[in-house]
Amino acid sequence: GWLSILHPDDGEQGRLVLMQLAANQRMVTEVRIIRKDGKVRWVRVYAHPAWDEKEDRLSGAYGAVQDITERKRAEAELQQREAILEVVAEAANTFLKVSEWSAETWRTEVDNLLERLGNTIHASHAYIFENRLDEDGSIRMSVRYEWTAPGFQSDLDNPKYADMPLEVDYLESWNNNILRGLPYIGDSEHLSMSDMD
């Protein structure tokens, strides 16, 4: 029963718990479980063996399970922020050290930055948009640089990302971040269900 509710990637950790209990050792571990509704939750498991002294074997186990999903989510977000800051700090250091920029050097460094950033946040694409002021005074944006993960199609020539308004009618989360000068991350952890559609 215990192994059947574990996330497939945590099966080995679950077997380790059973082995330690069978060796009359208590165990504290953190694993993912899959609930009946299909949701994945992180839990901390405290397991103690119930030992049959006469038979000198495990007769059962008792313990407690604590849901630590929110703590794990906060830890992951903090690690992601730190990783992003590290990439940005490295890029800033590189940009400050280069005394003379050629177009080729600039392009290489921007491409390296986007690749490191995309890999750090496990993205399929990473973009830098260029803004321009339209004749009517509105700000328009176009993709200027892009990194694309292997197996994904580039959007550099996609008209959807060319000369688009700064405020996008259909994407509130985009507007909230871009208008405040923040990076935009478009995944299920950072977007509402309506924005994902």
Side-chain angles (χ1 to χ4, degrees):
W2 158 247
L3 294 175
S4 69
I5 64 169
L6 288 180
H7 188 280
D9 293 343
D10 292 340
E12 190 58 39
Q13 187 66 19
R15 284 185 278 283
L16 181 62
V17 169
L18 295 176
M19 286 171 50
Q20 288 199 256
L21 289 172
N24 199 18
Q25 298 174 5
R26 61 184 174 176
M27 179 74 169
V28 178
T29 192
E30 295 177 358
V31 293
R32 289 163 292 179
I33 61 167
I34 302 174
R35 297 189 331 187
K36 288 181 182 179
D37 62 6
K39 292 185 179 175
V40 176
R41 305 294 290 182
W42 274 99
V43 294
R44 174 175 280 174
V45 179
Y46 303 86
H48 298 267
W51 200 254
D52 184 330
E53 295 294 339
K54 281 185 180 180
E55 299 288 328
D56 193 32
R57 66 176 181 84
L58 183 69
S59 63
Y62 61 94
V65 176
Q66 176 186 17
D67 189 326
I68 58 169
T69 305
E70 292 309 314
R71 192 199 85 207
K72 285 288 194 178
R73 184 173 292 132
E75 286 175 359
E77 286 179 7
L78 181 60
Q79 287 173 348
Q80 186 179 59
R81 284 188 195 128
E82 288 174 351
I84 291 169
L85 287 175
E86 186 177 320
V87 169
V88 171
E90 286 175 17
N93 190 34
T94 299
F95 291 140
L96 290 172
K97 283 184 177 177
V98 176
S99 56
E100 292 185 32
W101 287 98
S102 68
E104 185 179 329
T105 303
W106 175 260
R107 181 67 191 213
T108 299
E109 291 304 324
V110 169
D111 287 346
N112 288 339
L113 166 64
L114 289 177
E115 181 178 3
R116 287 194 315 262
L117 190 58
N119 285 327
T120 297
I121 63 173
H122 309 291
S124 61
H125 296 76
Y127 308 104
I128 293 179
F129 284 83
E130 181 177 63
N131 296 345
R132 73 167 183 83
L133 195 59
D134 202 4
E135 294 170 0
D136 65 2
S138 65
I139 298 175
R140 311 290 289 187
M141 299 182 302
S142 296
V143 170
R144 178 71 186 266
Y145 301 99
E146 176 197 39
W147 168 82
T148 306
F152 288 89
Q153 186 174 348
S154 171
D155 287 322
L156 277 176
D157 296 326
N158 187 338
K160 179 180 176 182
Y161 298 109
D163 207 36
M164 59 191 281
L166 183 62
E167 291 188 52
V168 180
D169 293 338
Y170 61 88
L171 204 55
E172 183 180 340
S173 58
W174 167 276
N175 297 337
N176 291 340
N177 282 23
I178 297 300
L179 293 174
R180 291 173 30 213
L182 300 172
Y184 176 78
I185 301 174
D187 65 14
S188 60
E189 291 182 25
H190 297 89
L191 294 180
S192 68
M193 288 309 293
S194 61
D195 281 350
M196 287 292 287
D197 292 337

